[in-house]
Amino acid sequence: MDWGMSNRMSRMIKSDGKTVMLACDHGYFMGPTRKLEVPRRTIEPLVPYADTIAVTRGVLRTSIDPKWDVPILLRVSGGVSILKEDLSDEEITASVKDAVRLNVSAVALSIFVGTAHEKQTLVNLSKLVDEGEEYGMPVMAITAVGKELEKRDARYLSLASRIAAEIGAHIVKTYYCENFHKVAEGTPVPVVVAGGPKMNTDEDVLNLVYNAMQEGAIGVDMGRNIWQSDYPVAMIKAIRAIVHENATVKEALDVLRENKSVAQLSAASKN
């Protein structure tokens, strides 16, 4: 890995080898997602606590202040919307040259292993890796499952994550599952876990983060379970406590409660 590639990776993955990525790229196929209707309003309070922010180039150019000191993970695949039954028919929607122009730290695309468009998305990844190597730009592969959430088991995710690494992805984003350690052990590049749809409780979120870290993930790339929370800053701080400070779920819940109280007091003082 040359200097430029290593430097970009080190912006996102901190000196402890871990990362808390904030996923805010949902609009590329979901449109104005709940609590992400106005991207800047959602993102700005969370910037100080995110090691990386994942967005599209449209949101980057319109909603991210160039003065903010935060690495950017640029979503570069798309072409379908939530209105389609099959979400796997994706193409590359932004070039690595544009990513370099935007000074981002990495690019990301989805692969859909086992779907009608498996080959297309894997070739997309291969071409993106070729371009990334030419420009020193890391590539994240996201093992997407579309609307088929039942695919999130260790056998499938191990297969998809390993294929992504074999093609040349520098980092893989996948889902947490039972026996997740098998996914992490079989993927010879860093693995981060997605949050997926909003979970029922805060404790559910923190348990997922804790278990994933214990089983080999280097961090998370979460969106809805942070910014759809009633207290998003408190939630991301609690997640950081697990990822970067080796906190237990109980300790992280204490962090969450303390920061909720601060937010509540602040809100009350303004009324």
Side-chain angles (χ1 to χ4, degrees):
M1 190 178 291
D2 66 17
W3 191 93
M5 184 83 72
S6 296
N7 178 259
R8 285 187 167 97
M9 288 288 284
S10 70
R11 294 181 207 168
M12 301 183 296
I13 300 170
K14 300 308 174 184
S15 57
D16 60 1
K18 300 173 184 178
T19 187
V20 175
M21 298 179 172
L22 181 66
C24 301
D25 56 351
H26 301 64
Y28 91 95
F29 76 105
M30 295 177 71
T33 313
R34 185 175 69 86
K35 293 199 175 182
L36 196 60
E37 295 93 343
V38 182
R40 182 167 180 141
R41 186 189 301 161
T42 299
I43 295 167
E44 187 167 9
L46 298 168
V47 168
Y49 313 104
D51 296 324
T52 304
I53 296 177
V55 291
T56 61
R57 62 181 172 182
V59 167
L60 180 58
R61 286 188 165 110
T62 61
S63 307
I64 304 294
D65 192 323
K67 298 182 182 68
W68 292 348
D69 184 21
V70 62
I72 298 297
L73 173 64
L74 188 71
R75 160 68 69 167
V76 298
S77 70
V80 294
S81 79
I82 196 69
L83 299 179
K84 299 283 286 185
E85 188 61 34
D86 181 4
L87 298 178
S88 69
D89 191 12
E90 288 197 353
E91 300 278 2
I92 301 297
T93 54
S95 68
V96 171
K97 188 177 290 187
D98 203 23
V100 172
R101 185 180 300 115
L102 290 164
N103 196 33
V104 306
S105 295
V107 293
L109 86 166
S110 296
I111 59 170
F112 291 83
V113 172
T115 70
H117 299 100
E118 174 185 79
K119 178 180 178 181
Q120 174 180 307
T121 61
L122 293 177
V123 171
N124 288 345
L125 173 60
S126 178
K127 290 177 178 176
L128 198 63
V129 168
D130 285 344
E131 272 196 85
E133 293 290 344
E134 183 176 352
Y135 288 96
M137 180 66 67
V139 176
M140 173 192 277
I142 302 166
T143 62
V145 296
K147 298 179 181 179
E148 300 176 88
L149 299 183
E150 70 278 359
K151 281 187 175 180
R152 295 186 296 181
D153 61 32
R155 183 177 180 184
Y156 173 81
L157 296 175
S158 293
L159 172 68
S161 298
R162 180 57 174 265
I163 289 172
E166 295 272 356
I167 290 174
H170 304 97
I171 184 168
V172 170
K173 173 180 177 178
T174 192
Y175 290 96
Y176 181 74
C177 61
E178 187 176 352
N179 294 317
F180 178 77
H181 66 277
K182 294 180 179 179
V183 181
E185 289 167 1
T187 307
V189 296
V191 176
V192 296
V193 294
K198 181 77 167 64
M199 296 182 198
N200 292 328
T201 70
D202 294 338
E203 189 168 358
D204 288 342
V205 178
L206 298 176
N207 271 313
L208 182 150
V209 176
Y210 179 81
N211 291 333
M213 297 300 296
Q214 292 299 304
E215 294 188 53
I218 66 152
V220 299
D221 185 13
M222 295 183 118
R224 286 169 287 181
N225 282 292
I226 295 174
W227 40 258
Q228 286 184 344
S229 167
D230 291 336
Y231 298 94
V233 170
M235 176 56 79
I236 197 171
K237 283 184 173 182
I239 289 169
R240 286 189 70 83
I242 294 173
V243 172
H244 287 299
E245 300 167 28
N246 299 315
T248 63
V249 173
K250 182 180 181 301
E251 290 167 338
L253 281 168
D254 288 341
V255 171
L256 183 67
R257 291 189 195 103
E258 288 168 13
N259 283 278
K260 277 185 178 181
S261 297
V262 170
Q264 288 165 348
L265 288 169
S266 176
S269 69
K270 293 175 184 177
N271 293 333

